[in-house]
Every structure is written in structure tokens, then in C-alpha cells.
Amino acid sequence: MKDISYIINHLGEEREKYFNAITPPLFQTSNFAFSSVAELKKAIASEKESYIYSRGNNPTVDILCKKIAALEETEEALAFASGMAAISSAVISFVRSGDHIVSVRNNYSWTNILMTRFLPRFGVETTFVDGTDPGNFENAIRPETKIIYLESPNSLTFELQDIEAVAKIARSHNLTTLIDNSYSSPLSQSPSSMGIDIILHSASKYLGGHSDIVAGIVCGSTSNITRIFNNEYMGLGGIISPFNAWLMLRGLRTLPARIDRISATVIKVVEYLENHPAVSEVIYPLSSAHPQYELAKKQMQKPTGLLSVRLKTNDRSKTELFVNSLKQFLIGVSWGGHESLVFPAMSFDEERTKDGFSANLIRFYIGLDEPECLIKDLEQAFSKII
Ligand SMILES: *Cc1c(COP(=O)(O)O)cnc(C)c1O
């Protein structure tokens, strides 16, 4: 059992080295100096264990990575400039020309673009499967398959994958598993305990938590993280800045409080929406109405803030009017901060919205607002369209 309070308030910090300051210093430095040529030579021979240059290690970033690795119950972690830098670096690390990926369908838009637009240029093909049946992953495996890519729940439609079952299939075929765990945060879903090898985060969401940084995380075993450090991390250079790492450390201190607050609010908002006559469907994994509710209860520990709603109307202009009428919910992409947000699927181009993403699908993010305030806002916006 991980000790979340210890991890957040103590792990990785060496206060005696910096005047017992409660908050670790921001080492906003690109470079480190050496007392002799011999010391420099020793450091270059083991860059991952040394402070040489901040494209490799930086002390502020190190404190952050120790905490996040512990929260995800993996041996190590690396922090990147964005979720996409983390995801693309990790995926690239496991494939070469001629290899094949099996991925859940409807994964995050840019992850999808990585797999459909970038990787084919380097001879790597991806098969996308309906992830609600683990057998679909097994059926898509080819001799040249190297990784299985999960995002549970996936973006916008929040379909779950049975993480334990897919990890077992992957192991029996000697494949590496990666999961995007941004939706749940390390506090609601623990993929490593279910047999997943690599855990990815857009830290721009819950880990940062205040809509003020773009950052990403890769967690895994020492051998996988060492390989990624020595290749994609140093070589592609999509590293986090020390300042953003420092801001994420600040965000982490309130992660449990924020998630608990969101958990309590989201349940009230979901209940309100499920009973509203203008709503045809609420898509929320931890609602008993979700077709995979039992699986959600098994592998997710706490409700978190993202849900989608299908309005009864198929009139795009009414959906647009509803969204435009919301005041407390801000219209925008992203999520995971303090502010509640609304994102209508119709903002995507026609190509992306043609199957499954119809005009009446709206994603909500429940932030730190009072539930009564959010429900009041929804009520007045619904009154404009019924
Ligand atoms: C936002 C997001 C990403 C991309 O992360 P960035 O930090 O924006 O690069 C990846 N996966 C999911 C599920 C996301 O929501």
C-alpha cells in the first residue's frame, strides 16, 4: 500500500541540503560545474546518475520524478515538456521499422495522429480495436507486433479496457503494454498493479492541476526508463523545464484534496444530468448506468472529473446554443485544473465527428467549483433549448 502523504510531503526531498526549506529549490540551471577533469569524465560515463546538463538530470526534476514514480508504484519516472512528448518518446522507444502496434480505438487525438500519420512514415503500422473486449487485442496481434497501447477510459466516449486481462494477453505474447492514465490520475487507477509496463500521463491535467503548465510523465521499470533516458529523452530532448517541474511539485501537494473534492462534486452533477429530460445519455464509467460499471468499480478507485453527455436534440444549432449559454463552465479544451470546462465534440472537424462523435456529444470537466453552482449553470443553459 503506497503512503500518499509520505510520498507527497517527504519522498525525494533532502531538506538538510537546502537550509531545511519546506519547499524544494527551483534549480533553474542549464549547466553544472565540475571540480576536475576526472570528475567530469566520471559523470559523462554515467549521465543518468549525474548532474551534467539539464537536458539530462536536474535536481528539481528529480524530486518530482521520484514522487510520481512512487505514486504510480513503478521503479522510475521521467518528466517531459508535454503529455505528447512523453507519449511519443515512450511509443517510439519500443518500435522500429516493420513493427506493429495494437491500440485501443478513439485514443487521445494527437496519440491517434502519432499512430496514423507519423509512425507509418517510419514503417510502423497500428491496428485500432474496440477495447471493450480483451479478445479484440489478442486477435489483432501479428508476429511483428511489439506493443499494446491502452487508454482506459479512452477519450470522449470513455470506453474501458479490462487492464488486467489485456496485460495478461500481452505477457503471454511477450509484448510491452503502455497505458495513458491521465483520466484517472495515480490516485484512482493503478495500472502497474494490474501488470502494465509503462504508464503515461499528460501532467498538464491533474498532476499540474492549475491550468498553468503543459507537461508529461513516463513511468516504468528501471531498465525501460534507463533505455528511454539514454535514447529518446536525451536524443529527442522533449524534457520538462525545471520551472514547470517546480510548479508540478506545487500542484502535487493538493492532488489528493483536489481529487476528493472533484469526486464528491462529479457524482452530484452526473446524477443531475442523468435525470434531466434534455439528456439522452450520460457517459460516466463510475455511474451504474455505464455498460462497464462493474469493470470500472474493479479497476478505478475514485470518481474523477470527466464525463460526456449526449443531448436528445440532433440540432447542431441547439447544442451550440446550450454550450454558448454556459457561464460557470468555460468553453475550452484540456481539463484537470481548478476551472470547470465544456467541450462540444462538434468543434472537431467533420472527419473526426462522423462515427460515434455526433453533433450532440458534449464533454464536461468538473473542476473545483461548488456542485450547486455548476448545476444552476446547467439549468439555465438547458432552459434556453427546451
Ligand atoms: C491532454 C491529453 C494528452 C496530451 O497531453 P499534452 O500535455 O496536452 O501534450 C494525452 N492524453 C490524454 C488522455 C489527454 O487528455
Side-chain angles (χ1 to χ4, degrees):
M1 189 56 195
K2 60 189 171 193
D3 183 343
I4 292 165
S5 294
Y6 171 75
I7 294 168
I8 288 177
N9 288 321
H10 297 285
L11 182 77
E13 306 198 26
E14 298 174 77
R15 297 196 170 98
E16 66 287 357
K17 285 193 180 165
Y18 32 82
F19 310 103
N20 293 308
I22 297 294
T23 303
L26 163 55
F27 287 95
Q28 187 70 26
T29 185
S30 60
N31 213 0
F32 298 83
F34 293 84
S35 58
S36 67
V37 176
E39 289 295 315
L40 172 61
K41 194 173 169 193
K42 204 167 96 193
I44 288 175
S46 60
E47 176 127 24
K48 187 158 170 286
E49 277 67 53
S50 312
Y51 293 120
I52 303 176
Y53 184 57
S54 285
R55 180 158 39 73
N57 287 323
N58 171 281
T60 308
V61 176
D62 275 2
I63 296 170
L64 172 73
C65 289
K66 282 185 181 138
K67 289 181 192 291
I68 298 205
L71 287 175
E72 280 295 5
E73 300 173 276
T74 57
E75 288 173 345
E76 293 194 33
L78 289 171
F80 288 81
S82 67
M84 281 320 303
I87 291 167
S88 55
S89 295
V91 168
I92 286 168
S93 171
F94 290 97
V95 290
R96 58 177 64 199
S97 180
D99 287 346
H100 174 247
I101 298 170
V102 181
S103 171
V104 65
R105 69 179 178 185
N106 295 343
N107 51 5
Y108 176 72
S109 55
W110 281 96
T111 307
N112 198 273
I113 288 168
L114 170 75
M115 292 170 179
T116 54
R117 204 194 287 169
F118 287 81
L119 292 178
R121 284 169 35 199
F122 305 97
V124 176
E125 226 186 284
T126 302
T127 303
F128 294 93
V129 300
D130 170 351
T132 56
D133 178 356
N136 292 341
F137 289 94
E138 183 141 46
N139 293 338
I141 293 170
R142 304 178 191 165
E144 61 274 22
T145 305
K146 287 293 180 319
I147 63 176
I148 294 187
Y149 188 93
L150 304 180
E151 187 183 306
S152 183
N154 65 359
S155 290
L156 277 171
T157 49
F158 307 131
E159 295 165 344
L160 272 60
Q161 299 104 64
D162 184 331
I163 298 171
E164 213 162 5
V166 177
K168 212 167 142 204
I169 290 166
R171 261 199 309 275
S172 74
H173 291 266
N174 229 352
L175 306 178
T176 301
T177 43
L178 293 84
I179 192 168
D180 183 332
N181 203 30
S182 310
Y183 179 100
S184 301
S185 93
L187 301 190
S188 175
Q189 183 164 273
S190 182
S192 65
S193 70
M194 294 182 268
I196 296 295
D197 299 308
I198 299 286
I199 299 147
L200 307 161
H201 280 281
S202 167
S204 323
K205 314 295 166 50
Y206 291 127
L207 299 178
H210 296 76
S211 303
D212 52 9
I213 60 168
V214 174
I217 298 285
V218 177
C219 300
S221 67
T222 296
S223 70
N224 276 329
I225 293 296
T226 301
R227 207 191 58 254
I228 296 170
F229 179 91
N230 286 326
N231 292 280
E232 292 77 19
Y233 190 76
M234 293 287 302
L236 298 175
I239 59 150
I240 196 170
S241 70
F243 183 50
N244 280 353
W246 189 86
L247 282 173
M248 204 195 304
L249 279 166
R250 180 182 161 114
L252 273 189
R253 293 179 199 126
T254 56
L255 179 65
R258 286 184 285 112
I259 295 287
D260 282 350
R261 163 83 177 191
I262 290 166
S263 294
T265 308
V266 75
I267 292 302
K268 292 185 184 163
V269 175
V270 165
E271 194 188 327
Y272 165 80
L273 289 166
E274 283 179 340
N275 289 302
H276 199 283
V279 171
S280 77
E281 186 188 2
V282 177
I283 308 174
Y284 190 66
L286 280 165
S287 155
S288 57
H290 192 279
Q292 297 171 292
Y293 179 53
E294 290 305 319
L295 179 61
K297 275 196 298 186
K298 184 177 149 227
Q299 61 189 28
M300 299 166 80
Q301 282 84 51
K302 280 167 195 266
T304 54
L306 274 185
L307 60 118
S308 287
V309 159
R310 277 187 200 284
L311 298 182
K312 279 202 182 127
T313 179
N314 276 319
D315 180 345
R316 292 177 87 90
S317 65
K318 278 200 168 173
T319 303
E320 199 166 334
L321 174 63
F322 171 73
V323 172
N324 286 341
S325 302
L326 290 163
K327 295 192 172 66
Q328 188 68 21
F329 286 93
L330 299 170
I331 302 173
V333 299
S334 195
W335 48 273
H338 47 91
E339 78 284 15
S340 298
L341 291 161
V342 57
F343 174 81
M346 62 160 71
S347 332
F348 283 123
D349 58 28
E350 296 286 325
E351 183 56 29
R352 281 218 62 209
T353 51
K354 71 176 185 246
D355 56 332
F357 300 93
S358 45
N360 58 5
L361 184 70
I362 302 171
R363 184 187 75 186
F364 289 99
Y365 165 67
I366 306 305
L368 301 179
D369 303 293
E370 295 286 344
E372 296 74 22
C373 168
L374 297 177
I375 289 169
K376 204 169 118 195
D377 193 31
L378 290 164
E379 191 69 21
Q380 63 81 21
F382 277 129
S383 74
K384 306 270 168 50
I385 62 161
I386 47 176

